Amino acid sequence: MDLVLALVIATVVIALFFDYTNGFHDAANAIATSVSTRALTPRIALVMAAILNFVGALLGVGVAKTIKEILVGFDDMTSQHALTVVMSALVGAITWNLITWYFGIPSSSSHALIGGLIGVGLAAGVTVDWDKVVDKVVIPMVMSPALGFGGAFIVMLTIMWVFRRANPHTVNRGFRLSQTVSAAALSLGHGLQDAQKTMGVIVLALVAGGYGPAAGEREIPYWVVFAAAGAISLGTLSGGMRIMRTMGRRIIALDPPRGFAAESTAAVVLYGMAIGLHAPVSTTHTMTSAVMGAGATKRFSAVRWGVARGIITAWIVTIPAAAAVGAVTYLLLRLVIPGN
């Protein structure tokens, strides 16, 4: 086996490991509210999320194409050098995922990956498509939490008005059942968004190594789609309870109507961004903001803004932190991988 093929295989394996960490890191965010309101048991919620993550990953490739096109200009590099770039970006993202998972911080795997790509691109002198970064990453990164907060706030106000004279016990029981649907929709949206990001990186590695799809073939091969879908599903089944506790209780103690409002709003935002804009937005950011928006209808002081402030800080530092780790990894790997 030659070095280039070995590096391609290693990069694909690392990409699938990133997808796996994404599963246990981010999928908990999609089901935390349903577990905290006792709409679903943790075991049932995780199995449901794993299945729907897999299905969601099969529903489109627009986000994958966006990720694949963030870095351009590999033509002037050796295959070994180009693969070192992609591998380093993945290591940066995985490292940040594991750090935030360990401390139970709901940061964004999506932005960790994008940060890793940008950091390595700058360190390696690869062209970063800044127009795409601004249009498809930065603007949606700001829009999706704003839509999540505002949308959940409005949906919850509507629920409060419609059921203002209903028996609270009956309303809670009904929305606890409805949360099964909203949690399923959110898990589907998570698969639609997050598995595609790994698909994009795998194809980027294949292109860098000279094994990319030929003219006339699918831009994202079927085996890449199924491999990414399987990895994120397995990751979902592997855990996520640390982050689930933060999302479900520490931000605000949700009741079933507010859980439904948050989940349904976040699902709509994820679908719109993936299908309409092909933008790789964060499930974590969107869902956390929706939880805050739904909780704020109780009263603004009911939201534990100290916890929320820590989460927002993690959002802000994710891209530069992953970029820094990716850049350092790149500089180290250049020293040990021949052909750089």
Side-chain angles (χ1 to χ4, degrees), residues 214-282:
E217 294 183 352
R218 272 179 60 92
E219 197 168 345
I220 311 294
Y222 283 116
W223 73 265
V224 173
V225 174
F226 281 98
I232 199 170
S233 296
L234 288 173
T236 301
L237 287 173
S238 299
M241 291 303 293
R242 289 173 184 264
I243 294 169
M244 201 181 293
R245 283 193 290 269
T246 300
M247 291 288 292
R249 288 291 180 186
R250 286 180 59 205
I251 296 174
I252 183 169
L254 292 176
D255 53 23
R258 287 180 172 82
F260 174 81
E263 289 172 340
S264 56
T265 300
V268 170
V269 173
L270 292 177
Y271 295 151
M273 291 293 179
I275 297 171
L277 300 180
H278 300 165
V281 301
S282 168

Coordinates of all heavy atoms in Angstrom, one line a residue, residues 214-282:
A214 N -15.1 10.7 -10.4 CA -14.8 11.1 -11.8 C -16.0 11.9 -12.3 O -17.1 12.0 -11.8 CB -14.6 9.8 -12.6
A215 N -15.7 12.6 -13.4 CA -16.7 13.4 -14.1 C -17.9 12.5 -14.4 O -17.8 11.4 -15.0 CB -16.1 14.0 -15.4
G216 N -19.1 13.1 -14.1 CA -20.3 12.3 -14.4 C -20.8 11.4 -13.2 O -21.9 11.0 -13.2
E217 N -19.9 11.2 -12.2 CA -20.3 10.4 -11.1 C -20.9 11.3 -10.0 O -20.8 12.5 -10.0 CB -19.1 9.7 -10.5 CG -18.5 8.6 -11.4 CD -17.3 7.9 -10.8 OE1 -16.9 8.3 -9.7 OE2 -16.9 6.9 -11.4
R218 N -21.6 10.6 -9.0 CA -22.2 11.4 -7.9 C -21.1 12.2 -7.2 O -20.0 11.6 -6.9 CB -22.8 10.4 -6.9 CG -24.3 10.1 -7.2 CD -24.8 9.1 -6.2 NE -24.7 9.7 -4.8 CZ -25.7 10.4 -4.2 NH1 -26.8 10.6 -4.9 NH2 -25.5 10.8 -3.0
E219 N -21.4 13.4 -6.9 CA -20.4 14.2 -6.2 C -20.1 13.7 -4.8 O -19.0 13.8 -4.3 CB -20.9 15.7 -6.1 CG -19.8 16.7 -5.8 CD -20.3 18.1 -6.0 OE1 -21.3 18.3 -6.7 OE2 -19.6 19.0 -5.5
I220 N -21.2 13.2 -4.1 CA -21.0 12.5 -2.8 C -21.4 11.0 -3.0 O -22.6 10.7 -3.1 CB -21.9 13.2 -1.8 CG1 -21.8 14.7 -1.8 CG2 -21.6 12.6 -0.4 CD1 -20.5 15.2 -1.3
P221 N -20.4 10.1 -3.1 CA -20.7 8.7 -3.3 C -21.6 8.1 -2.3 O -21.6 8.5 -1.1 CB -19.3 8.1 -3.3 CG -18.4 9.2 -3.6 CD -19.0 10.4 -3.0
Y222 N -22.4 7.1 -2.7 CA -23.3 6.5 -1.8 C -22.6 5.9 -0.5 O -23.2 5.9 0.6 CB -24.1 5.4 -2.5 CG -25.2 5.9 -3.4 CD1 -25.2 5.7 -4.8 CD2 -26.3 6.6 -2.9 CE1 -26.2 6.2 -5.6 CE2 -27.3 7.1 -3.7 CZ -27.2 6.9 -5.0 OH -28.2 7.4 -5.9
W223 N -21.5 5.3 -0.7 CA -20.8 4.6 0.4 C -20.4 5.7 1.4 O -20.4 5.4 2.7 CB -19.6 3.8 0.0 CG -18.4 4.6 -0.5 CD1 -18.0 5.0 -1.7 CD2 -17.3 5.1 0.4 NE1 -16.9 5.7 -1.7 CE2 -16.4 5.8 -0.5 CE3 -17.1 5.1 1.7 CZ2 -15.3 6.4 0.0 CZ3 -16.0 5.7 2.2 CH2 -15.1 6.4 1.4
V224 N -20.1 6.9 1.0 CA -19.8 8.0 1.9 C -21.0 8.4 2.7 O -20.9 8.6 4.0 CB -19.2 9.2 1.2 CG1 -19.0 10.4 2.1 CG2 -17.9 8.9 0.5
V225 N -22.1 8.5 2.1 CA -23.4 8.8 2.7 C -23.8 7.8 3.8 O -24.0 8.2 5.0 CB -24.6 8.9 1.7 CG1 -25.9 9.1 2.4 CG2 -24.3 10.0 0.7
F226 N -23.7 6.5 3.5 CA -24.1 5.5 4.4 C -23.1 5.3 5.5 O -23.4 5.1 6.7 CB -24.3 4.1 3.7 CG -25.6 4.0 3.0 CD1 -25.7 4.3 1.6 CD2 -26.7 3.7 3.7 CE1 -26.9 4.2 1.0 CE2 -28.0 3.6 3.0 CZ -28.1 3.9 1.7
A227 N -21.8 5.5 5.2 CA -20.8 5.4 6.3 C -21.0 6.5 7.3 O -20.9 6.3 8.5 CB -19.4 5.5 5.7
A228 N -21.2 7.8 6.8 CA -21.4 8.9 7.7 C -22.7 8.7 8.6 O -22.7 9.0 9.8 CB -21.4 10.2 6.9
A229 N -23.7 8.3 7.9 CA -25.0 8.0 8.6 C -24.8 7.0 9.7 O -25.3 7.2 10.8 CB -26.1 7.6 7.6
G230 N -24.1 5.9 9.4 CA -23.9 4.9 10.4 C -23.0 5.4 11.6 O -23.3 5.0 12.7
A231 N -22.0 6.1 11.3 CA -21.1 6.6 12.4 C -21.8 7.5 13.3 O -21.7 7.4 14.6 CB -19.9 7.3 11.8
I232 N -22.6 8.5 12.8 CA -23.3 9.4 13.7 C -24.4 8.7 14.6 O -24.6 9.0 15.7 CB -23.9 10.6 12.9 CG1 -24.2 11.7 13.9 CG2 -25.2 10.2 12.2 CD1 -24.6 13.0 13.2
S233 N -25.0 7.6 14.0 CA -26.0 6.9 14.7 C -25.4 6.1 15.8 O -25.9 6.0 17.0 CB -26.7 5.9 13.8 OG -27.4 6.6 12.8
L234 N -24.2 5.4 15.6 CA -23.5 4.7 16.6 C -23.1 5.7 17.8 O -23.2 5.3 18.9 CB -22.3 4.0 16.1 CG -22.6 2.8 15.2 CD1 -21.4 2.2 14.5 CD2 -23.3 1.7 16.0
G235 N -22.6 6.8 17.4 CA -22.2 7.8 18.4 C -23.4 8.2 19.3 O -23.2 8.4 20.5
T236 N -24.5 8.4 18.7 CA -25.7 8.8 19.4 C -26.0 7.7 20.5 O -26.4 8.1 21.6 CB -26.9 8.9 18.5 OG1 -26.6 9.9 17.5 CG2 -28.2 9.3 19.2
L237 N -25.9 6.5 20.2 CA -26.2 5.4 21.1 C -25.2 5.3 22.2 O -25.4 4.7 23.3 CB -26.3 4.0 20.4 CG -27.5 3.8 19.5 CD1 -27.3 2.5 18.7 CD2 -28.8 3.8 20.4
S238 N -24.0 5.9 22.1 CA -22.9 5.8 23.0 C -23.0 6.7 24.2 O -22.2 6.5 25.1 CB -21.6 5.9 22.3 OG -21.5 5.0 21.2
G239 N -23.8 7.6 24.2 CA -23.9 8.5 25.4 C -24.5 9.8 25.2 O -25.3 10.0 24.4
G240 N -24.0 10.8 25.9 CA -24.5 12.2 25.8 C -25.2 12.7 27.0 O -25.8 13.7 27.0
M241 N -25.1 11.9 28.1 CA -25.9 12.2 29.3 C -25.4 13.5 30.0 O -26.2 14.3 30.5 CB -25.9 11.1 30.3 CG -26.7 9.9 29.9 SD -28.4 10.2 29.5 CE -29.0 10.6 31.1
R242 N -24.1 13.8 29.9 CA -23.5 15.0 30.5 C -24.2 16.2 29.9 O -24.7 17.1 30.6 CB -22.0 15.1 30.3 CG -21.2 14.1 31.1 CD -19.7 14.2 30.6 NE -18.9 13.2 31.2 CZ -18.1 13.4 32.3 NH1 -18.1 14.6 32.9 NH2 -17.3 12.5 32.8
I243 N -24.2 16.3 28.6 CA -24.7 17.5 27.9 C -26.2 17.5 28.0 O -26.9 18.5 28.1 CB -24.3 17.5 26.5 CG1 -22.7 17.7 26.4 CG2 -24.9 18.6 25.7 CD1 -22.1 17.5 25.1
M244 N -26.8 16.3 28.1 CA -28.3 16.2 28.2 C -28.7 16.9 29.5 O -29.8 17.6 29.5 CB -28.7 14.8 28.2 CG -30.2 14.5 27.9 SD -30.7 12.8 27.9 CE -29.7 12.2 26.5
R245 N -28.0 16.7 30.6 CA -28.4 17.4 31.8 C -28.3 18.9 31.7 O -29.1 19.6 32.2 CB -27.5 16.9 33.0 CG -27.8 15.5 33.5 CD -27.1 15.2 34.8 NE -25.6 15.1 34.6 CZ -25.0 13.9 34.3 NH1 -25.7 12.8 34.2 NH2 -23.7 13.9 34.2
T246 N -27.3 19.4 31.1 CA -27.1 20.9 30.9 C -28.3 21.4 30.1 O -28.9 22.4 30.5 CB -25.8 21.2 30.2 OG1 -24.7 20.7 31.0 CG2 -25.7 22.7 30.0
M247 N -28.6 20.8 29.0 CA -29.7 21.3 28.1 C -31.0 21.1 28.8 O -31.9 22.0 28.6 CB -29.6 20.5 26.8 CG -28.5 20.8 25.9 SD -28.5 22.4 25.2 CE -29.9 22.2 24.1
G248 N -31.2 20.0 29.5 CA -32.6 19.7 30.0 C -33.0 20.4 31.2 O -34.1 20.8 31.4
R249 N -32.0 20.7 32.1 CA -32.4 21.3 33.4 C -31.6 22.5 33.8 O -32.1 23.4 34.5 CB -32.2 20.2 34.5 CG -33.2 19.0 34.4 CD -34.6 19.5 34.8 NE -35.6 18.5 34.7 CZ -36.9 18.7 34.9 NH1 -37.3 19.9 35.2 NH2 -37.7 17.7 34.8
R250 N -30.3 22.5 33.5 CA -29.5 23.6 34.1 C -29.8 25.0 33.4 O -29.7 26.0 34.1 CB -28.0 23.3 33.9 CG -27.5 22.2 34.9 CD -26.1 22.0 34.7 NE -25.3 23.2 34.9 CZ -24.1 23.3 34.3 NH1 -23.6 22.4 33.6 NH2 -23.4 24.5 34.6
I251 N -30.2 25.0 32.2 CA -30.6 26.3 31.5 C -31.9 26.8 32.1 O -32.1 27.9 32.6 CB -30.7 26.2 30.0 CG1 -29.3 25.8 29.4 CG2 -31.2 27.5 29.4 CD1 -29.3 25.6 28.0
I252 N -32.9 25.9 32.1 CA -34.2 26.2 32.7 C -35.0 24.8 32.8 O -34.8 23.9 32.0 CB -35.1 27.2 31.9 CG1 -36.4 27.5 32.6 CG2 -35.3 26.6 30.5 CD1 -37.1 28.7 32.0
A253 N -35.7 24.7 33.9 CA -36.5 23.5 34.1 C -37.8 23.6 33.2 O -38.7 24.4 33.4 CB -37.0 23.4 35.5
L254 N -37.8 22.8 32.1 CA -38.9 23.0 31.1 C -40.1 22.1 31.5 O -39.9 21.0 32.0 CB -38.3 22.5 29.7 CG -37.3 23.4 29.1 CD1 -36.9 22.8 27.7 CD2 -37.9 24.8 28.8
D255 N -41.3 22.6 31.1 CA -42.4 21.7 31.1 C -42.7 21.2 29.7 O -42.1 21.7 28.8 CB -43.6 22.5 31.7 CG -43.9 23.8 31.0 OD1 -43.5 24.0 29.8 OD2 -44.5 24.7 31.6
P256 N -43.6 20.3 29.5 CA -43.8 19.7 28.2 C -44.2 20.7 27.1 O -43.7 20.6 26.0 CB -45.0 18.7 28.4 CG -44.7 18.2 29.8 CD -44.3 19.5 30.6
P257 N -45.1 21.7 27.4 CA -45.4 22.7 26.3 C -44.2 23.4 25.8 O -44.0 23.7 24.6 CB -46.5 23.6 26.9 CG -47.1 22.8 28.0 CD -46.0 21.9 28.5
R258 N -43.3 23.9 26.8 CA -42.1 24.6 26.4 C -41.1 23.7 25.7 O -40.4 24.1 24.8 CB -41.5 25.3 27.6 CG -42.3 26.5 28.1 CD -41.7 27.1 29.4 NE -42.5 28.4 29.6 CZ -43.6 28.4 30.3 NH1 -44.2 27.3 30.7 NH2 -44.2 29.6 30.4
G259 N -41.1 22.4 26.1 CA -40.2 21.5 25.4 C -40.6 21.3 24.0 O -39.8 21.3 23.1
F260 N -41.9 21.2 23.8 CA -42.5 21.0 22.4 C -42.2 22.3 21.6 O -41.8 22.2 20.4 CB -44.0 20.8 22.5 CG -44.7 20.8 21.1 CD1 -44.7 19.7 20.3 CD2 -45.3 21.9 20.7 CE1 -45.3 19.7 19.1 CE2 -45.9 22.0 19.4 CZ -45.9 20.8 18.6
A261 N -42.4 23.5 22.2 CA -42.1 24.7 21.4 C -40.7 24.8 21.0 O -40.4 25.2 19.9 CB -42.5 25.9 22.3
A262 N -39.8 24.5 21.9 CA -38.3 24.5 21.6 C -37.9 23.6 20.5 O -37.3 23.9 19.6 CB -37.5 24.3 22.9
E263 N -38.4 22.3 20.7 CA -38.0 21.3 19.7 C -38.6 21.5 18.3 O -37.9 21.4 17.3 CB -38.4 19.9 20.2 CG -37.7 19.4 21.4 CD -38.3 18.2 22.0 OE1 -39.4 17.9 21.8 OE2 -37.5 17.5 22.8
S264 N -39.8 21.9 18.2 CA -40.5 22.1 16.9 C -39.9 23.3 16.2 O -39.6 23.2 15.0 CB -42.0 22.2 17.1 OG -42.3 23.3 18.0
T265 N -39.6 24.3 17.0 CA -39.0 25.5 16.3 C -37.6 25.2 15.8 O -37.2 25.5 14.7 CB -38.9 26.7 17.4 OG1 -40.2 27.0 17.8 CG2 -38.2 27.9 16.7
A266 N -36.8 24.5 16.7 CA -35.4 24.2 16.3 C -35.4 23.3 15.0 O -34.6 23.4 14.1 CB -34.7 23.5 17.4
A267 N -36.3 22.3 15.0 CA -36.4 21.4 13.8 C -36.7 22.2 12.5 O -36.0 21.9 11.5 CB -37.5 20.4 14.0
V268 N -37.6 23.1 12.6 CA -37.9 23.9 11.4 C -36.7 24.7 10.9 O -36.4 24.8 9.7 CB -39.1 24.9 11.7 CG1 -39.3 25.9 10.6 CG2 -40.4 24.1 11.9
V269 N -36.0 25.3 11.9 CA -34.8 26.1 11.5 C -33.7 25.2 10.9 O -33.2 25.6 9.8 CB -34.2 26.8 12.8 CG1 -32.9 27.5 12.4 CG2 -35.2 27.8 13.3
L270 N -33.5 24.0 11.4 CA -32.5 23.1 10.8 C -32.9 22.7 9.4 O -32.1 22.6 8.5 CB -32.4 21.9 11.7 CG -31.7 22.1 13.1 CD1 -31.7 20.8 13.9 CD2 -30.3 22.6 13.0
Y271 N -34.2 22.3 9.2 CA -34.6 21.9 7.9 C -34.4 23.1 6.9 O -34.0 22.9 5.8 CB -36.1 21.5 7.9 CG -36.4 20.3 8.7 CD1 -37.7 20.1 9.3 CD2 -35.5 19.3 8.9 CE1 -38.0 19.0 10.0 CE2 -35.8 18.1 9.6 CZ -37.0 18.0 10.2 OH -37.3 16.9 10.9
G272 N -34.9 24.3 7.3 CA -34.8 25.4 6.4 C -33.3 25.7 6.0 O -33.1 26.0 4.8
M273 N -32.4 25.7 7.0 CA -31.0 26.0 6.7 C -30.4 24.9 5.8 O -29.6 25.2 4.9 CB -30.2 26.1 8.0 CG -30.6 27.3 8.8 SD -30.1 28.9 8.0 CE -30.7 30.1 9.1
A274 N -30.7 23.6 6.0 CA -30.1 22.5 5.3 C -30.7 22.4 3.9 O -29.9 22.3 2.9 CB -30.3 21.2 6.0
I275 N -32.0 22.5 3.7 CA -32.6 22.3 2.4 C -32.7 23.5 1.6 O -32.5 23.5 0.4 CB -34.1 21.7 2.6 CG1 -34.0 20.3 3.3 CG2 -34.8 21.6 1.3 CD1 -35.3 19.8 3.8
G276 N -33.0 24.7 2.3 CA -33.1 25.9 1.6 C -31.8 26.6 1.3 O -31.6 27.1 0.1
L277 N -30.9 26.7 2.3 CA -29.7 27.5 2.1 C -28.4 26.6 2.0 O -27.4 27.2 1.7 CB -29.5 28.4 3.3 CG -30.6 29.5 3.5 CD1 -30.3 30.3 4.8 CD2 -30.8 30.3 2.3
H278 N -28.5 25.3 2.2 CA -27.4 24.4 2.2 C -26.3 24.9 3.2 O -25.1 24.8 2.9 CB -26.8 24.3 0.8 CG -27.7 23.7 -0.2 ND1 -27.5 23.8 -1.5 CD2 -28.9 23.1 0.0 CE1 -28.5 23.2 -2.2 NE2 -29.4 22.8 -1.3
A279 N -26.8 25.5 4.3 CA -25.9 26.1 5.3 C -25.6 25.2 6.5 O -26.6 24.7 7.0 CB -26.5 27.4 5.8
P280 N -24.4 24.9 6.8 CA -24.1 24.0 7.9 C -24.2 24.7 9.3 O -23.2 25.2 9.9 CB -22.6 23.6 7.7 CG -22.0 24.8 6.9 CD -23.2 25.4 6.1
V281 N -25.4 24.8 9.8 CA -25.6 25.4 11.1 C -25.5 24.4 12.2 O -25.5 23.2 12.0 CB -27.0 26.2 11.1 CG1 -27.1 27.2 10.0 CG2 -28.2 25.2 11.1
S282 N -25.5 25.0 13.4 CA -25.3 24.1 14.6 C -26.6 23.7 15.2 O -27.4 24.5 15.6 CB -24.5 24.9 15.6 OG -24.5 24.3 16.9

